Amino acid sequence: MRLSRFFLPILRETPKEADIASHRLLLRAGMIRQEAAGIYAFLPLGLKVLDKVCRIIREEQDRSGAVEMLMPTVQSAELWKESGRYDDYGKEMLRIRDRHDREMLYGPTNEEMITEIFRAYVRSYKDLPLNLYHLQWKFRDEVRPRFGLMRGREFLMKDAYSFDLDYEGARHAYNKMFVAYLRTFARMGLKAIPMVADTGPIGGNLSHEFIILAQTGESEVFCHRDYLAMPVPEAGLDFDDVAGMQAIVDQWTSLYAATSEKHDEAAFAAIPEADRVSARGIEVGHIFYFGTKYSAPMKAVVAHPDGSEKPVHMGSYGIGPSRLVAAIIEAFHDDAGIVWPEPVAPFSVAVVNLKQGDAATDAACESLYRDLSARGVEVLYHDLDERPGAKFATVDLIGVPWQILVGPRGLKEGKVELKRRSGDQRDMLTPAEVLERLAPQAPAARDAALPV
Ligand code: 5CA
């Protein structure tokens, strides 16, 4: 992408309304724009990161055996009256009337709708287990929307819903999601700790919040220090291995970890003092097992092998992708701006032209841009007519992991400078070396590229 053709409205001043680093940087880097309290437009750079986050979430949901679909944002109040939550949900629910005066609402979550879909089609144990998920915008009229994407009113959620015959089946479904979540957050470079949590308006009695430690987090949390170094499961897992999944969950729940609502002072005090972590955290995911809370009143029943019919056992599993974009920035930034972990970076490489209009510099930039793009690297070419200082500030601010600085001085020696956004690594290399460093070509691909 050429910056001259992109839309990147950088703010040079620090926005006054932003209290925390992620909110400030999201605004300054031209990633989001507030349209109303707690309601944001994702500008192109913000959308790129959101898409990367969603892709990782999808890959890990799919790997665990969950199946993607898409439910609407607007729901009928009738469904919520069936479950009994229509009145309970209170002012957080945005209630709407259509032209026929029918009561509708903008979905804050989808337990009722997925239960309605399930009961319309599934009647038998033969069709279980099943886990359906979607990525869809939610609306919750939060009392205090704040901190930008952290606590929005309109926000993106990945919500998955599992259906099983009995508690044992549902527990395995819960464990699979638990493990998928460990992998999901780790792939974004984050250390998320599963903590015993309150179930709130979703209900049930088994629940974990996945928490990232951060000073600006809204939750007060307590855990054992060993969680910070616990190894995350590898990709080649067998999600159908019931005992294997349980063993991972047992390991990850063997030590103390709780949110303030579930905090047990005595149990925490029993941990050696040096191992006690008392901190603030950001909730990036929340999983629930609630049995038949929705299936019983909504009559989502399945036939068991013995011929009996009983309400299906359910769980729900949420992740906040839009909140994650902010949480990742909280974890990865410095004084100059964002420092994206590579898997979620909006671009992998920025080519910075230090002397726009200089024939040799322009030509070197063009060929690096072309060659990297041809090798599938996402490149942002800073081709605007600006001073080098302003260009450095922009590419540092938006956090692209690699920068290639191209100017007449280096080019005299046939070299450009490759700089890593994180750390101090800087190397003078030929453009060919840069290509090999950033996008090494496999021998097979090299052969295929040879003329016949
Ligand atoms: N139905 C269940 C699970 S699918 C549910 O709604 N769970 S939740 O309320 O915990 O939300 C799931 C995730 O959405 C949270 O862990 C959080 O990451 C994200 N989330 C919740 N509220 C907000 C908000 N106001 N702004 C941004 N993200 C939010």
Side-chain angles (χ1 to χ4, degrees):
M1 175 62 63
R2 289 170 197 278
L3 188 50
S4 58
R5 299 198 188 150
F6 197 52
F7 179 62
L8 185 68
I10 298 277
L11 305 182
R12 293 286 168 212
E13 276 89 57
T14 300
K16 281 192 286 296
E17 71 270 31
D19 293 327
I20 62 172
S22 59
H23 190 192
R24 272 194 301 275
L25 290 167
L26 281 160
L27 293 168
R28 284 196 53 215
M31 294 180 68
I32 59 169
R33 173 155 182 89
Q34 183 174 321
E35 293 301 326
I39 300 179
Y40 294 87
F42 275 76
L43 304 178
L45 194 76
L47 181 62
K48 276 183 178 289
V49 177
L50 186 65
D51 282 346
K52 295 257 163 98
V53 165
C54 290
R55 192 162 127 197
I56 293 174
I57 293 172
R58 282 198 171 91
E59 284 174 9
E60 295 303 328
Q61 291 291 293
D62 294 350
R63 189 197 306 280
S64 78
V67 184
E68 187 170 3
M69 60 177 297
L70 184 57
M71 287 177 264
T73 54
V74 176
Q75 307 187 17
S76 154
E78 287 308 311
L79 278 178
W80 288 67
K81 289 183 179 164
E82 278 191 51
S83 74
R85 273 208 296 186
Y86 191 60
D87 294 327
D88 296 351
Y89 221 93
K91 289 202 161 213
E92 276 204 4
M93 181 185 276
L94 180 64
R95 296 158 204 257
I96 311 164
R97 274 181 196 274
D98 71 8
R99 64 164 71 202
H100 305 291
D101 215 26
R102 276 189 290 251
E103 289 173 301
M104 315 289 285
L105 56 102
Y106 194 112
T109 176
N110 281 61
E111 279 79 6
E112 283 77 1
M113 187 177 281
I114 197 74
T115 305
E116 185 282 320
I117 291 171
F118 177 88
R119 79 178 171 197
Y121 301 106
V122 183
R123 299 279 149 75
S124 160
Y125 68 92
K126 293 180 190 148
D127 299 318
L128 299 184
L130 183 64
N131 188 327
L132 298 169
Y133 78 94
H134 73 159
L135 282 136
Q136 180 60 287
W137 294 90
K138 304 289 189 282
F139 194 93
R140 292 182 184 171
D141 207 349
E142 302 269 357
V143 195
R144 282 217 292 160
R146 58 185 180 155
F147 299 154
L149 299 180
M150 282 290 181
R151 182 163 296 280
R153 292 200 297 167
E154 187 175 300
F155 59 94
L156 191 57
M157 194 193 287
K158 183 288 299 181
D159 35 331
Y161 302 88
S162 67
F163 300 91
D164 286 272
L165 213 51
D166 50 24
Y167 171 75
E168 283 69 35
R171 180 69 219 218
H172 178 51
Y174 186 91
N175 290 348
K176 285 200 280 190
M177 277 293 131
F178 189 110
V179 174
Y181 276 33
L182 292 176
R183 287 192 44 77
T184 302
F185 301 123
R187 283 187 59 190
M188 299 171 193
L190 298 170
K191 267 193 199 355
I193 302 169
M195 303 206 182
V196 177
D198 201 25
T199 55
I202 307 295
N205 51 19
L206 171 62
S207 167
H208 286 91
E209 281 181 15
F210 286 73
I211 302 273
I212 291 163
L213 302 185
Q215 278 164 2
T216 47
E218 290 190 278
S219 321
E220 201 184 350
V221 297
F222 306 87
C223 71
H224 195 291
R225 187 168 304 280
D226 285 1
Y227 275 116
L228 297 171
M230 221 174 248
V232 167
E234 298 291 330
L237 287 167
D238 178 3
F239 278 86
D240 292 331
D241 174 2
V242 174
M245 288 294 127
Q246 186 67 54
I248 297 172
V249 173
D250 287 347
Q251 186 203 357
W252 277 87
T253 51
S254 59
L255 299 170
Y256 188 84
T259 57
S260 58
E261 297 88 0
K262 291 283 182 179
H263 185 46
D264 175 346
E265 222 19 280
F268 190 59
I271 305 173
E273 196 170 350
D275 291 334
R276 277 182 229 155
V277 177
S278 161
R280 302 200 70 80
I282 302 167
E283 176 205 323
V284 288
H286 197 164
I287 61 178
F288 306 81
Y289 164 70
F290 42 71
T292 59
K293 175 175 173 182
Y294 301 91
S295 56
M298 294 185 69
K299 301 188 180 53
V301 292
V302 276
H304 286 230
D306 66 4
S308 62
E309 288 197 339
K310 291 178 198 144
V312 70
H313 282 247
M314 293 174 59
S316 75
Y317 315 89
I319 294 184
S322 47
R323 175 178 290 180
L324 266 168
V325 173
I328 296 169
I329 298 176
E330 287 296 325
F332 300 101
H333 69 272
D334 60 18
D335 290 345
I338 306 167
V339 188
W340 293 113
E342 295 201 28
V344 294
F347 296 97
S348 306
V349 182
V351 172
V352 182
N353 188 328
L354 301 179
K355 194 151 194 207
Q356 210 72 46
D358 173 73
T361 310
D362 289 353
C365 287
E366 289 290 338
S367 47
L368 270 167
Y369 175 55
R370 197 178 49 236
D371 294 346
L372 283 164
S373 304
R375 291 190 187 190
V377 178
E378 288 170 287
V379 191
L380 179 69
Y381 173 21
H382 197 323
D383 61 347
L384 299 181
D385 190 12
E386 289 178 1
R387 287 176 298 107
K391 292 194 177 189
F392 297 147
T394 297
V395 289
D396 278 352
L397 175 64
I398 66 171
V400 180
W402 293 97
Q403 301 170 6
I404 310 173
L405 314 179
V406 185
R409 207 178 309 154
L411 284 175
K412 261 195 221 129
E413 323 277 306
K415 301 258 170 96
V416 297
E417 186 173 352
L418 179 63
K419 183 185 151 198
R420 230 198 135 131
R421 175 66 179 84
S422 65
D424 304 318
Q425 191 187 331
R426 284 165 176 271
D427 291 304
M428 292 304 294
L429 302 169
T430 65
E433 286 166 341
V434 169
L435 269 183
E436 274 312 290
R437 180 85 67 92
L438 296 181
Q441 254 189 335
R446 240 177 253 153
D447 294 347
L450 289 176
V452 252

